[in-house]
């Protein structure tokens, strides 16, 4: 909590990223992120995007997230804690991770959803790594999973290990000896919300492959609570 307090103290002072003051908001009841923070400027696909809540006091949630009841299974409620050591984040914490990522920390905020969902809108600054690239049940091979971990997450192989070596290590329970996670990114993953299984599927694979639990964070509320709070989104 100390990190986020420090980050948001700097934000409110305007030292990390652009912050819009409350006085710049049109009359009608300003809607801030916190009592001292109105907005945050982040980079998304090379363009500056403002994270701000919808200022229309009568605004309502979009239809895609208005449903209260989806068939379970598949859309069952996820637990608050995914796995031991994996930290669950809220909205302020996910913004903090975006700020820290874009200030140079070894962090990656990951939208785990499939592209068709991302096209409806995602969190500014997030990078799309579909869970289908990490889930063997969706056709992802060991080679594909390794490519994602190495090329996007900063994982390194130990020695001349290949996908065959990894498969053997998975069977023998020695997969942690095949990968070097010392410089791996801290991942903050999310999907559609507390009823969505896409980011949990990605996290399950990462843990299976030895990714350190302390380097995995989960924004459980995902797009559901992001939309409920009226936060801005971006489309590809």
């Amino acid at each position: 909590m100390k990190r986020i307090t420090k980050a948001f103290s700097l934000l409110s002072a305007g030292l990390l990223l652009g912050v819009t003051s409350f006085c710049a908001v049109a009359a009608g009841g300003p809607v801030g992120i916190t009592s001292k923070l109105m907005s945050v400027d982040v980079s998304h696909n090379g363009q500056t995007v403002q994270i701000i809540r919808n200022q229309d006091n009568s605004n309502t949630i979009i239809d895609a997230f208005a449903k209260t009841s989806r068939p379970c299974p598949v859309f069952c409620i996820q637990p608050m804690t995914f796995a031991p050591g994996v930290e669950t984040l809220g909205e302020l914490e996910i913004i903090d991770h975006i700020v820290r990522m874009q200030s140079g920390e070894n962090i990656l905020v990951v939208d785990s959803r499939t592209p068709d969902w991302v096209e409806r809108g995602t969190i500014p600054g997030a990078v799309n790594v579909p869970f289908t690239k990490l889930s063997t049940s969706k056709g992802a091979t060991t080679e594909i999973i390794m490519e994602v971990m190495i090329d996007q997450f900063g994982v390194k192989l130990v020695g001349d290990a290949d996908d065959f070596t990894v498969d053997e290590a998975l069977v023998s329970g020695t997969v942690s000896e095949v990968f070097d996670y010392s410089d791996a990114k801290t991942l903050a993953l999310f999907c559609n919300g507390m009823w969505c299984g896409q980011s949990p599927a990605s996290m399950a694979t990462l843990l299976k492959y030895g990714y350190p639990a302390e380097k995995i964070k989960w924004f459980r509320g995902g797009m559901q609570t992001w939309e409920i709070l009226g936060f801005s989104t971006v489309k590809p």
Side-chain angles (χ1 to χ4, degrees), residues 89 93-101 107 109 186 188 217:
L89 306 179
E93 289 81 11
I94 199 69
I95 293 174
D96 178 55
H97 276 71
I98 295 169
V99 171
R100 289 160 53 197
M101 174 182 70
I107 293 172
V109 177
T186 294
K217 314 295 180 181

Side-chain angles (χ1 to χ4, degrees), residues 173-192:
T174 58
V175 70
S176 60
E177 300 174 8
V178 178
F179 295 107
D180 176 5
Y181 289 101
S182 58
D183 293 324
K185 297 180 183 296
T186 294
L187 306 176
L189 302 96
F190 68 91
C191 53
N192 277 321

Side-chain angles (χ1 to χ4, degrees), residues 89 92 108 204:
L89 306 179
L92 295 183
L108 189 66

